[in-house]
Amino acid sequence: MTERMGIPFVLAAPSGTGKTTVCQLALQRDPLLDFSISHTTRSPRKGEVDQEDYHFVSAAEFRRLVESGAFVEHAEYNAENYGTSYEALRVPLEQRGHDVLLEIEVQGAAQMRERRPDARFIFLLPPNMEELERRLRCRGTDTEEAIDRRLAMADRELEAVRFFDYVVVNEVLEEAVSGVLAIISAERDADEASLEKIRGVYGRGPAFARWQGAMGS
Ligand code: 5GP
């Protein structure tokens, strides 16, 4: 047990915003930040490691965990189940005194907002909606119909921005990573002057207004 209780940071984004890359780089660069390892029913992708990227479980096992109250939040996404266990947060936050980064979708983020008042919420945005569409098309793997579905989903996901504390735009990857790390560092230090400065740049109100303004011009 350490003296310090870490802070959970929830990072969500519309599909296609580059959330995973931003999270991976932030985790590499901040030694006091741990990744929250979720449970999922989906199959591992090439290169993914069980217990590191996810706890890959069967649908029956996932149901059992839901029924036993193991999850602080869980949601269905793309016909698969995803959830953050209490244990995934307890070990880094309480045992290691580290902060923890949750890379989750917006329904789960809303549940975290209800259940974890100590959590901070960062929403990652694409530079604009045209760029999001271009990025989704560039994956080259999806059919036209799947792209349309993802765009509609991204539109819905965007509505969740209203309950997030911070907004970071992923136009230049390095800048987005620095933004996320600056927010985490200011919240960790809890120094009012730095927090004020960070809120001026990344606070949801000003940052989202700037993003909308840039899209309109
Ligand atoms: P993927 O299958 O591409 O790894 O993840 C699909 C979506 O599920 C992504 O938006 C990812 O952030 C989200 N996700 C991953 N883990 C969790 C979790 O524990 N809870 C929730 N609610 N969403 C998650």
Side-chain angles (χ1 to χ4, degrees), residues 10-215:
V10 173
L11 195 133
S15 159
T17 307
K19 179 171 58 167
T20 305
T21 313
V22 170
C23 282
Q24 280 170 351
L25 289 173
L27 286 158
Q28 274 169 23
R29 291 181 198 176
D30 186 338
L32 297 178
L33 186 66
D34 292 359
F35 179 58
S36 159
I37 305 171
S38 298
H39 284 71
T40 183
T41 55
R42 82 150 165 77
S43 310
R45 297 193 186 116
K46 200 163 171 274
E48 282 182 332
V49 179
D50 188 28
Q51 319 288 333
E52 283 183 25
D53 296 289
Y54 281 106
H55 300 284
F56 294 100
V57 294
S58 65
E61 173 66 2
F62 196 92
R63 248 190 333 270
R64 193 192 65 73
L65 288 165
V66 171
E67 279 159 17
S68 68
F71 292 123
V72 55
E73 66 74 30
H74 65 94
E76 195 181 311
Y77 181 93
N78 243 344
E80 300 289 353
N81 292 106
Y82 295 84
T84 305
S85 68
Y86 283 96
E87 196 61 8
L89 300 184
R90 194 185 62 78
V91 174
L93 295 175
E94 293 177 30
Q95 280 190 359
R96 291 162 60 87
H98 283 189
D99 299 318
V100 67
L101 190 62
L102 285 79
E103 190 212 314
I104 63 178
E105 53 68 67
V106 296
Q107 306 164 71
Q111 293 169 39
M112 280 292 288
R113 182 101 232 170
E114 296 285 307
R115 299 191 188 146
R116 290 295 300 228
D118 57 332
R120 314 291 199 275
F121 295 79
I122 306 172
F123 203 81
L124 195 70
L125 283 175
N128 51 58
M129 292 312 273
E130 289 78 44
E131 177 61 18
L132 185 74
E133 184 165 351
R134 199 188 64 76
R135 288 182 190 177
L136 286 175
R137 286 187 193 286
C138 268
R139 290 182 174 180
T141 48
D142 291 344
T143 60
E144 198 62 29
E145 197 193 332
I147 291 170
D148 283 347
R149 231 184 7 250
R150 278 180 186 277
L151 277 170
M153 200 154 80
D155 258 346
R156 276 200 306 279
E157 286 167 331
L158 205 57
E159 287 171 20
V161 77
R162 69 184 184 283
F163 68 80
F164 279 70
D165 303 307
Y166 296 103
V167 165
V168 174
V169 179
N170 186 17
E171 181 154 24
V172 178
L173 177 63
E174 277 305 318
E175 288 174 15
V177 176
S178 309
V180 169
L181 290 174
I183 293 165
I184 292 172
S185 162
E187 288 283 356
R188 183 181 287 155
D189 296 345
D191 165 60
E192 225 11 84
S194 348
L195 278 171
E196 186 101 0
K197 212 162 114 195
I198 282 294
R199 288 187 196 122
V201 183
Y202 300 108
R204 182 201 49 231
F208 192 56
R210 268 198 311 278
W211 183 77
Q212 286 180 309
M215 287 228 295

